[in-house]
Amino acid sequence: MQKKKIILFLLMFTLVFSSTQVIAKQQTKDKKVPIRNGTVKIVRDDYGVPHIYAKSTEDLYRAYGYVMAKDRLFQLVMFRRGNEGQTAAIFGNKYLEHDMRMRRDGYSDREIKEMISQMDPFSQKVISNFADGITKYVKEALKNPDHLLSKEFQKYDVTPKPWTDVDVLRLYMASMTVFMDQEQELNNASILAELELQHGPEKAKKMFDDIFPINNPASPTSIMKENSEQNQQAGKAKVKQLSKGVTEAAQEISERRKDFVTASHELGLPLKVGSNAMIVSDEKSESGNAMVFGGPQVGLTAPGFMYEVGLHAPGIDIEGSSFIGYPFIMFGTTNKFAFTSTAGYGNQVDIFKEKLNPNNPHQYKFKGKWVDMTKRVETFNVQTDNGDTKRVKKTFYKTVHGPVIYLDEENQTAYSKSWAFRGTEGQSWSAYVKSNWANNLNQFAKAAREFTMSLNWFYADKQGDIAYFHVGQYPKRDPQLDFRLPTPGTGQYEWDGFKNTKNNPSIINPEIGFVANWNNKPDPNWHNGELSFNWGADHRVQQYMDQAKNAGKLTLEEINDINYHASLVNLRTKWFKPYLLDVLEENIEKDPRYKEIYHYLKDWNNLNEDLNEDGYYDSPAVTLFEAWWSNVPDNLFKSDLGKSYGNLKENIDHRYGCSLCLRVFRGDNAQNPVGYGWLDGKSREQIIIKSLNQALNDLEKEYDDSMDLWLTKGRTTTFGAQSLIGVPHGLGSDIPIPVMNRGSENHYVELTKKGPEGFNITPPGQIGFVSKDGTVHQHYDDQIKMYANWKFKPILFTKQDVKTHAESVHYLRFTKNKGGKKN
């Protein structure tokens, strides 16, 4: 079990930081140079992480933008182009659908500038200074491109441009919106319509309600009691919300989304975000200090989506990481408190069904009148196969609710999309900045209430306090509606403002002594509409909750053990392995194979481990259980759902759990029994035995050897198997690592009386620069093997810690131009 132990791998480099540029006079770490206004000290530690020391806020954020651009300029440029909808100009028609979607749902420069003007003055300075820092590096790099521009710029003939505050906010807005975007309401309507065609309205309604329950009271919740002051409405479904042609609309939109997702992943823009977190109070901690663990799940790419930094200036001392292009820290610590976040998966997106004028498909009925859609024409440059550029024009339409995502002239219907946080993204950006500058829990909580997008925020401080906030702005919907389906857009069912964010689920110092979250339900009163299938009795967060409950006082190392277990466990073993063992025990004499299977499963720790490093998981139980489970959902639902099953399987048996399977298995003992008779006269035992025998027949054909050799080859992955933009060009890494259901970054922080202590890992490495000859920087992938082997590096916070681990010291000087602005 050596991999489970924390090994703080302290690798000391003796080489001076091998920069491709000279930003100022380099000093050895023994010499002291006074830091004056306009001069910033940048200390790189032995993993290339920059620790920035400035005399002013302006210089701090300029330097932050500068070093981020130095380390990851091509990645920044690609994210900007991706969020602006300008990737097809470089990579061709394959990315045109991605570009169209980003432009359709995005904002104009004027709209973003207006949003910035509404920010508080401090946030305006931060965003402007950060952009100035990126621009400073861009200008220097353009003067010496062979040495200061990463290889990808030459290969793809891309020239970086100066950055503005609009670029910074758009990158944030577009990426965060994509994380929280979905069109599930339309898919749900299509599914319900298909079920009605197959089974009739009554039976279809029972099936639909089982698969998409309005609320599942058995769902594990981060707040383990009914704590929110304001119940989330569930909707009474008294309005007809299905429309003719909805199946075709959902199918086309689903295909477009698949193309968009594929292109986004190839561009290095993660969509399937997750993240897990745990905060532990002083009473649950062995040391008496509060602790924070976080694991943002944003995929494995090279360069990574995370960027680590230390920021130190009057009024702020903070260390941690954030998404690339963000000038604030999302996962980190100050000398007073530590914090992290996860995706909230709240119900913030509604699809509106618009009724079109039969004489004019670009007019829609709203409050008794035909209203013209807003029309906008966008031009896209697309690179052709022969290297030329063609221009493609696309007309986008918008209703009072938002951009039109589908227009069905034949059925006189259109669908438009509304985000509850639309127009408030600048406010959320500012809220994150404020959280970084908070001095106590009250100030952090105030920032949390100002954040309008759906996240979970976590806090722990030196006083031993912990706090959890489900953040986001949620609309007041008409209670006559079924919130799982599209809303009629004719004006009778509009949002009636927004709920008070102070009443969102939150808790301070829970009696149990900890809060755990893995994108699960925040508290029992909270619903999430069309996404309800994600929150059920079988949920992956139990891997954290169960272990934390059963543990005594916790240490950081023990929290890491919990994370190790959760990262490698087969999630279906929590509830379904005991059922399988019971059936095997009861039928042990009926088949000689059952006794052998029973002992393998009984002895298995439920983890997909390869401790002997032979390339195979250590126990045949992995093979047996996975083969058995692959048949269970099919045998439970396929015959009843018919042709709808293919589209529904990922809603039933998904990455969080299979709660519907558990409800069927529990029968009348379920906290919310199913309404439809899925077993259809069969017993749970019959389904289990049938699924097992199917698995055994298949495995005996695959394996000729005895059962103890039925081993599954260990699954591996790589960082950037496809390059940043989906084309092999020397980026990425071919180092195989075990597949783990784990954060792309992990951080563990203890708030001691002296200050924060802990360890983290931010693979693949800090610096994404590739020289013109293809040589990658020494800190490009130096954390991959550590990540694979569950090793960590220390979090460096104090000046002394940074100095001890310093690899290089640089000074960056900002001079004023004639207009008085620093450059």
Side-chain angles (χ1 to χ4, degrees):
M1 302 299 291
Q2 185 178 4
K3 289 185 182 179
K4 289 186 65 178
K5 304 301 180 183
I6 297 295
I7 305 174
L8 296 180
F9 186 72
L10 307 179
L11 182 61
M12 297 298 295
F13 291 99
T14 58
L15 296 176
V16 172
F17 177 70
S18 59
S19 174
T20 58
Q21 64 168 314
V22 179
I23 61 174
K25 184 169 67 174
Q26 181 171 314
Q27 304 289 332
T28 66
K29 50 187 175 180
D30 294 323
K31 292 183 180 180
K32 292 184 178 180
V33 175
I35 305 176
R36 300 182 178 90
N37 286 338
T39 300
V40 180
K41 181 180 180 180
I42 301 169
V43 183
R44 295 274 186 172
D45 67 25
D46 40 14
Y47 288 93
V49 176
H51 302 265
I52 304 171
Y53 299 87
K55 284 293 186 180
S56 70
T57 302
E58 291 83 356
D59 291 343
L60 178 72
Y61 285 104
R62 286 191 184 99
Y64 187 11
Y66 183 94
V67 296
M68 185 182 287
K70 179 182 179 186
D71 292 349
R72 309 273 191 92
L73 183 58
F74 184 73
Q75 188 181 24
L76 283 170
V77 169
M78 284 309 306
F79 284 173
R80 183 173 75 172
R81 293 189 73 104
N83 292 330
E84 289 175 339
Q86 295 188 31
T87 56
I90 304 173
F91 306 116
N93 195 68
K94 180 180 180 181
Y95 297 92
L96 182 57
E97 177 62 35
H98 173 278
D99 287 352
M100 287 182 173
R101 186 187 186 99
M102 297 306 293
R103 298 261 197 103
R104 182 197 72 190
D105 297 348
Y107 294 90
S108 68
D109 288 0
R110 180 186 57 79
E111 290 172 320
I112 297 175
K113 198 68 178 176
E114 174 63 24
M115 211 176 296
I116 293 172
S117 72
Q118 296 173 11
M119 287 180 174
D120 61 275
F122 182 78
S123 295
Q124 291 178 3
K125 288 182 179 180
V126 170
I127 198 169
S128 177
N129 291 327
F130 185 74
D132 288 346
I134 297 175
T135 295
K136 178 177 173 63
Y137 182 80
V138 169
K139 289 180 177 179
E140 292 180 4
L142 290 176
K143 292 177 181 177
N144 190 7
D146 287 347
H147 292 93
L148 303 187
L149 288 182
S150 195
K151 176 184 177 180
E152 305 94 321
F153 285 103
Q154 287 91 356
K155 185 171 180 63
Y156 294 103
D157 193 24
V158 176
T159 301
K161 298 178 181 179
W163 279 59
T164 67
D165 51 1
V166 170
D167 295 321
V168 176
L169 186 56
R170 175 183 276 119
L171 189 148
Y172 163 81
M173 291 161 61
S175 56
M176 289 295 283
T177 298
V178 166
F179 295 158
M180 299 173 193
D181 190 31
Q182 51 79 27
E183 288 139 358
Q184 187 64 44
E185 288 177 352
L186 194 54
N187 290 336
N188 287 358
S190 173
I191 288 165
L192 181 55
E194 284 290 329
L195 291 174
E196 287 184 353
L197 283 175
Q198 292 180 65
H199 303 285
E202 184 178 351
K203 191 180 288 187
K205 182 70 163 55
K206 290 180 179 180
M207 290 179 164
F208 184 79
D209 286 345
D210 283 347
I211 299 167
F212 302 97
I214 291 176
N215 182 35
N216 191 332
S219 303
T221 57
S222 292
I223 299 173
M224 298 183 191
K225 64 178 181 179
E226 296 191 9
N227 188 71
S228 62
E229 299 175 13
Q230 183 178 28
N231 287 343
Q232 186 89 322
Q233 293 174 314
K236 299 177 182 178
K238 293 185 176 181
V239 177
K240 178 176 172 56
Q241 292 173 249
L242 297 186
S243 59
K244 189 177 180 181
V246 67
T247 301
E248 292 77 10
Q251 184 175 355
E252 181 169 329
I253 288 176
S254 178
E255 289 300 317
R256 287 186 202 163
R257 185 166 186 85
K258 287 178 182 177
D259 292 341
F260 174 76
V261 168
T262 299
S264 296
H265 281 305
E266 291 177 353
L267 289 164
L269 304 170
L271 295 180
K272 291 187 177 180
V273 294
S275 308
N276 39 48
M278 184 186 295
I279 46 177
V280 177
S281 71
D282 53 359
E283 294 187 358
K284 182 72 173 175
S285 166
E286 185 175 284
S287 66
N289 299 318
M291 299 180 290
V292 170
F293 153 75
Q297 293 180 292
V298 289
L300 302 178
T301 61
F305 195 60
M306 309 295 295
Y307 187 87
E308 186 177 358
V309 70
L311 301 176
H312 308 277
I316 188 168
D317 284 294
I318 192 168
E319 202 282 342
S321 60
S322 193
F323 297 162
I324 191 72
Y326 295 10
F328 43 75
I329 303 298
M330 299 177 71
F331 319 97
T333 183
T334 72
N335 57 6
K336 297 176 182 177
F337 64 90
F339 56 99
T340 192
S341 60
T342 66
Y345 285 97
N347 185 14
Q348 289 198 302
V349 182
D350 278 358
I351 304 296
F352 282 84
K353 181 185 66 174
E354 313 287 5
K355 182 179 180 180
L356 299 182
N357 184 344
N359 299 316
N360 183 349
H362 299 130
Q363 286 185 332
Y364 61 102
K365 179 66 70 69
F366 186 70
K367 295 185 176 181
K369 297 180 180 180
W370 293 114
V371 180
D372 289 329
M373 294 179 181
T374 302
K375 178 180 176 181
R376 186 176 90 252
V377 179
E378 292 278 349
T379 301
F380 299 84
N381 293 325
V382 182
Q383 188 178 87
T384 62
D385 292 340
N386 62 9
D388 294 335
T389 298
K390 68 176 181 179
R391 294 168 69 84
V392 176
K393 289 190 176 182
K394 175 70 174 179
T395 302
F396 297 112
Y397 294 94
K398 184 179 178 182
T399 71
V400 67
H401 302 114
V404 173
I405 63 173
Y406 187 81
L407 198 150
D408 182 0
E409 293 187 32
E410 181 179 348
N411 293 297
Q412 298 165 17
T413 302
Y415 294 96
S416 58
K417 186 189 298 187
S418 281
W419 296 265
F421 49 79
R422 186 78 173 181
T424 67
E425 293 92 334
Q427 175 182 322
S428 289
W429 191 96
S430 294
Y432 245 124
V433 173
K434 292 176 183 178
S435 74
N436 285 192
W437 284 79
N439 288 308
N440 52 49
L441 174 54
N442 288 336
Q443 292 177 4
F444 187 88
K446 184 176 184 295
R449 289 193 291 269
E450 293 176 4
F451 194 87
T452 61
M453 296 169 149
S454 183
L455 293 177
N456 298 295
W457 279 17
F458 305 84
Y459 169 99
D461 62 27
K462 289 173 68 172
Q463 287 71 43
D465 296 320
I466 62 172
Y468 161 73
F469 305 91
H470 181 78
V471 303
Q473 177 171 275
Y474 293 93
K476 296 178 182 177
R477 298 177 171 93
D478 192 309
Q480 299 180 85
L481 296 171
D482 186 332
F483 299 158
R484 300 168 296 178
L485 300 171
T487 298
T490 48
Q492 298 100 309
Y493 308 105
E494 299 301 291
W495 294 345
D496 185 20
F498 297 93
K499 299 179 181 181
N500 192 331
T501 58
K502 291 182 179 180
N503 295 327
N504 283 6
S506 65
I507 194 166
I508 298 173
N509 294 328
E511 291 182 11
I512 199 169
F514 74 91
V515 177
N517 183 275
W518 202 353
N519 314 119
N520 54 284
K521 194 174 185 179
D523 86 358
N525 292 331
W526 206 251
H527 308 162
N528 65 342
E530 68 277 12
L531 301 174
S532 63
F533 63 92
N534 282 330
W535 290 350
D538 180 31
H539 197 285
R540 61 188 187 179
V541 74
Q542 291 160 319
Q543 300 300 325
Y544 289 94
M545 291 180 173
D546 291 350
Q547 293 183 79
K549 284 180 185 177
N550 295 332
K553 305 280 188 176
L554 289 168
T555 65
L556 287 184
E557 287 75 14
E558 288 167 333
I559 294 174
N560 183 63
D561 286 346
I562 292 174
N563 186 36
Y564 175 90
H565 185 278
S567 299
L568 298 181
V569 72
N570 184 307
L571 292 173
R572 299 299 179 266
T573 57
K574 161 68 181 175
W575 295 113
F576 300 103
K577 178 180 168 181
Y579 285 122
L580 177 55
L581 286 173
D582 287 347
V583 169
L584 284 169
E585 191 170 20
E586 292 170 5
N587 295 273
I588 204 81
E589 303 300 331
K590 294 183 179 180
D591 189 320
R593 299 172 298 180
Y594 291 173
K595 185 174 183 179
E596 193 173 4
I597 295 169
Y598 178 85
H599 287 295
Y600 281 127
L601 291 172
K602 188 80 172 176
D603 295 339
W604 180 36
N605 66 358
N606 303 334
L607 304 185
N608 290 351
E609 290 182 304
D610 178 18
L611 297 181
N612 62 10
E613 299 183 347
D614 67 350
Y616 293 85
Y617 295 129
D618 296 335
S619 173
V622 176
T623 305
L624 293 163
F625 187 85
E626 289 182 349
W628 168 73
W629 179 257
S630 67
N631 297 315
V632 172
D634 290 356
N635 289 328
L636 280 174
F637 308 114
K638 192 172 185 178
S639 61
D640 287 295
L641 292 174
K643 62 181 182 179
S644 296
Y645 179 65
N647 292 330
L648 277 168
K649 187 170 183 178
E650 64 181 22
N651 298 121
I652 294 172
D653 184 25
H654 52 78
R655 58 186 177 141
Y656 297 162
C658 189
S659 294
L660 179 57
C661 297
L662 184 57
R663 291 167 63 200
V664 173
F665 271 20
R666 284 177 169 173
D668 292 338
N669 294 323
Q671 199 166 340
N672 57 329
V674 295
Y676 179 76
W678 298 101
L679 288 175
D680 191 25
K682 301 184 289 291
S683 68
R684 180 178 68 207
E685 178 180 331
Q686 288 174 317
I687 294 292
I688 291 173
I689 285 290
K690 178 181 178 180
S691 301
L692 180 61
N693 289 335
Q694 289 172 333
L696 287 173
N697 290 337
D698 291 338
L699 291 172
E700 285 175 342
K701 294 175 183 177
E702 181 178 352
Y703 295 94
D704 296 328
D705 305 308
S706 59
M707 198 175 290
D708 63 336
L709 296 177
W710 290 11
L711 301 178
T712 296
K713 188 174 179 63
R715 291 180 280 272
T716 61
T717 188
T718 59
F719 283 79
Q722 280 189 309
S723 65
L724 181 65
I725 42 72
V727 182
H729 55 69
L731 285 180
S733 170
D734 59 1
I735 301 173
I737 66 168
V739 168
M740 299 176 279
N741 195 357
R742 179 184 178 190
S744 313
E745 176 261 25
N746 280 145
H747 51 279
Y748 305 77
V749 182
E750 180 174 348
L751 281 305
T752 76
K753 299 302 181 283
K754 295 181 179 180
E757 297 178 358
F759 46 90
N760 69 1
I761 189 75
T762 312
Q766 178 69 19
I767 300 174
F769 191 90
V770 181
S771 297
K772 189 176 181 180
D773 64 1
T775 302
V776 299
H777 194 278
Q778 66 188 42
H779 295 307
Y780 182 85
D781 58 4
D782 55 336
Q783 297 184 49
I784 291 181
K785 290 184 178 179
M786 294 172 64
Y787 179 79
N789 293 311
W790 287 82
K791 297 181 180 181
F792 300 87
K793 58 188 183 64
I795 291 175
L796 305 178
F797 188 82
T798 68
K799 282 187 176 181
Q800 184 56 51
D801 285 342
V802 172
K803 181 178 179 181
T804 300
H805 292 272
E807 181 178 274
S808 69
V809 179
H810 289 74
Y811 291 87
L812 180 62
R813 183 165 289 110
F814 295 98
T815 58
K816 291 184 179 180
N817 59 25
K818 293 182 180 180
K821 186 176 181 181
K822 289 183 179 180
N823 54 30

